[in-house]
Each structure stands twice: as C-alpha cells, then as structure tokens.
Amino acid sequence: MQIGQYTLKNNLIVAPMAGVTDKPFRELCMRYGAGMAVSEMMSSNPKLWKTSKSQNRMVHEGESGIRSVQIAGADPKLMAEAAQHCVETGAQIIDINMGCPAKKVNKKLAGSALLQRPDLIEEILLAVVNAVDVPVTLKTRTGWDPDNRNCVQVAKMAEQCGIQALALHGRTRACMYKGEAEYDNIKAVKEAISIPVIANGDIDSPEKARFVLDYTGADALMIGRPAQGRPWIFKEIQHYLETGELMPPLPIEEVKATLLGHVHALHQFYGEFLGPRIARKHVGWYLKEHEQANDFRRSFNAIEDASLQLSQLESYFDHVAS
C-alpha cells in the first residue's frame, strides 16, 4: 500500500475518530499491527488552534509510523492554511474530512455536508493539494442521502485534483452509522479511478475484512468503531489475511495489561484531571463484552482519581474477570 512516497507496512488503517484517535490510541493500534493511524480531525479555523483540545490533537512528536493528520472545514483558503500548519507541526500526510456526519460539523458545511457542493469540493481539494508538498488524501461517504449518491463523481474529481488516496465509508450522510455498508458503491469507485481506494464501514472481523477486500477490490481497509476497546483487531485481521486461520482469543492477562497500559497512557497524556474522564469511555468499550462488568462500569465511571482507576481495574481483573 503506497500513498505518495510513503509505503505502509500493511493495508490496515485506523480511521480518524473525533475524541478517540488521540496519540495513545494511535500508538496502541500501531503496536497491534495497524499499517497507519489517521489522527482525529482538526478544525481549519485558526482561532481554535490554541485550545487545549487542538493542542492535544497536534501532538505527533516521537510518534511511530507515518503521521497522517485530518483537517475539516469548508473554506478553501483556511483549509490550505490548516494543511500548511499541520505539516509544520509534523504531519507527513494531510487527510481531508468529507465524511463526518455530525450535525455540529455539517451545519458549518464541513464534513459530509460538502457532498452537496461538488463545486466547493473541487476548490478545497485544489487549494489543499497546491498548498503542501506532502501527499493529500480524502475521506468521504457515498453521498448526502440515498437519492443523491455521488461518490463516483467525487472520486474522479479527487483523482484529477491530485488526491493520492481515497477512503470511502460505505454509507450516505443520511444513513449515519445505521444499516449495512454499501460495498457495491466502494467497488464502483475502485473501478472508476486508479489511485488507491480504502474501504471503510462495518469491518468488524477477520472474515469480514477478507470479504470486503475480495468483493470491492479495495487496496486497503480502514477500521474505526470495531477497534474501540479492541485495538488488537488489526493483529487478528492481518493474521487471518496471511494464514487463512483465526487467532485464538486474546488471553485475559493480555487484555488486562493492554487496558491498564492504555488508561495509564491517557492519564499521562491528558493529565490528572482530564485523563481519568477520557479513560471512562475506553474502559466501557473494553469491557462491553464482559457480562459481569455492568456494576463495575457504573462504579468506575464515578472515579475521578487516576491511581484509584488503575487499582480498581487491577482488582476487577483479579477478582471478577478471572
């Protein structure tokens, strides 16, 4: 899998997810075999760059692998400036967000709302591609709604504008995350353009990964929500793609070590106040398959002290999960 001058170690990519794909999560997924991790989207509005949230999203120092940073916005000039700023702070690839379905993003005509404005899409793509010397990629959806699917048109435009790879979530904006991913449309896009196409949507098992690659002909897979609380899914998929065999379930001791390490990394990255609060949702994802964890999750979400979070997790795995 090649994006511009960069060669990924495999064709499994961590999807950018706001509030999720921070540096600790990206590093963890890379350790478990992801070929690349795209950072959560950064607003193109320079007034927001000095906020603590944006500052955390710009941390790429010492990061392993290829540093891909996603930007979101609807003003071509501001998007170009945001791309330049990200490159100055360590980005090696710039990814343009035209896939986010969130209302607060769409009401500013950013994210997937841009699919209603192909003329503006072209302006943004050209502005960003011409503003930086690094590869630019695009993440988008199949269309605005089921009556307005324009992903093939947008894909052809992206290739003509100099986009180096296209990630396509197999749903329209109106579908949000409901229903089944539209792999037929990903296949159509792959057949229509020559740049790498990355399939995204509902890839939640090794078998599904194999199916999506074979059916769509995509060059790579992008995995988002299925990696929440299960960063080892990349290792599971890569093993299956290489051998045709499923890995045995991760030993509970490794799950414990991974979760504790992740929570500790969140405490260090965000600090003693914010770290424990952000850790709560990750712990919930890790333990969602644990039927015996319901009471524990409720009590865990009330803990505000970082060291107490870690000791309670130790106790949970030693006495409940075992």
Side-chain angles (χ1 to χ4, degrees):
M1 175 67 183
Q2 190 91 10
I3 299 179
Q5 69 268 40
Y6 296 107
T7 303
L8 279 62
K9 65 181 182 181
N10 62 34
N11 59 350
L12 304 177
I13 300 170
V14 186
M17 294 175 283
V20 180
T21 47
D22 52 24
K23 186 177 180 181
F25 186 78
R26 294 195 302 271
E27 287 289 298
L28 186 54
C29 291
M30 292 291 289
R31 203 165 77 231
Y32 269 115
M36 186 174 77
V38 185
S39 70
E40 51 190 330
M41 67 180 179
M42 195 186 89
S43 171
S44 61
N45 183 353
K47 294 176 182 177
L48 301 177
W49 294 350
K50 297 296 183 183
T51 65
S52 59
K53 183 183 286 187
S54 290
Q55 290 292 308
N56 281 329
R57 290 180 179 185
M58 292 180 197
V59 175
H60 301 285
E61 189 176 338
E63 194 161 336
S64 52
I66 301 160
R67 298 185 296 276
S68 176
V69 177
Q70 188 180 76
I71 56 174
D75 183 304
K77 183 174 181 290
L78 290 181
M79 287 288 278
E81 291 172 358
Q84 291 171 334
H85 181 72
C86 288
V87 171
E88 288 166 6
T89 55
Q92 295 170 303
I93 293 174
I94 296 296
D95 185 60
I96 298 174
N97 182 324
M98 289 187 190
C100 179
K103 283 184 180 178
K104 69 177 182 179
V105 174
N106 284 189
K107 72 180 181 182
K108 298 174 183 175
L109 199 60
S112 56
L114 286 164
L115 292 169
Q116 303 169 98
R117 291 282 308 277
D119 56 329
L120 184 54
I121 290 176
E122 185 172 29
E123 285 184 47
I124 290 171
L125 297 181
L126 287 172
V128 175
V129 167
N130 292 328
V132 292
D133 293 327
V134 303
V136 180
T137 59
L138 173 66
K139 186 173 192 292
T140 186
R141 285 183 170 235
T142 57
W144 175 249
D145 59 36
D147 295 323
N148 295 279
R149 289 189 175 95
N150 57 351
C151 52
V152 172
Q153 174 196 355
V154 170
K156 289 179 177 178
M157 181 194 298
E159 183 172 34
Q160 291 166 0
C161 290
I163 292 298
Q164 300 283 304
L166 178 94
L168 184 59
H169 184 115
R171 286 182 174 86
T172 68
R173 188 272 172 187
C175 296
M176 299 294 282
Y177 297 101
K178 298 170 186 170
E180 295 182 358
E182 308 158 14
Y183 299 125
D184 285 335
N185 288 305
I186 298 176
K187 182 178 183 179
V189 165
K190 175 58 188 170
E191 292 170 352
I193 59 176
S194 58
I195 59 174
V197 172
I198 304 159
N200 177 224
D202 298 350
I203 302 164
D204 56 5
S205 70
E207 299 97 324
K208 190 68 169 288
R210 177 79 274 167
F211 166 78
V212 173
L213 282 173
D214 291 344
Y215 186 80
T216 65
D219 301 277
L221 302 174
M222 180 170 275
I223 298 164
R225 290 173 298 152
Q228 294 173 354
R230 189 182 164 196
W232 50 85
I233 190 173
F234 300 96
K235 185 178 180 180
E236 292 175 329
I237 290 174
Q238 188 62 24
H239 179 82
Y240 186 77
L241 294 179
E242 290 175 352
T243 69
E245 298 176 357
L246 292 172
M247 276 176 51
L250 210 66
I252 193 70
E253 280 301 316
E254 188 172 347
V255 174
K256 173 186 174 182
T258 299
L259 176 50
L260 285 166
H262 190 179
V263 170
H264 180 62
L266 290 169
H267 293 163
Q268 288 191 311
F269 188 72
Y270 288 104
E272 293 290 310
F273 177 78
L274 197 55
R277 286 156 178 78
I278 289 174
R280 291 170 186 165
K281 62 186 174 187
H282 288 278
V283 170
W285 290 326
Y286 277 97
L287 302 184
K288 67 184 175 185
E289 303 288 324
H290 294 215
E291 291 181 9
Q292 69 274 43
N294 289 337
D295 292 339
F296 173 77
R297 283 201 300 268
R298 279 192 289 272
S299 62
F300 183 85
N301 286 341
I303 300 172
E304 298 183 0
D305 179 75
S307 59
L308 185 56
Q309 276 194 339
L310 292 170
S311 64
Q312 287 298 305
L313 282 168
E314 286 265 11
S315 178
Y316 168 78
F317 278 98
D318 291 344
H319 298 104
V320 182
S322 60

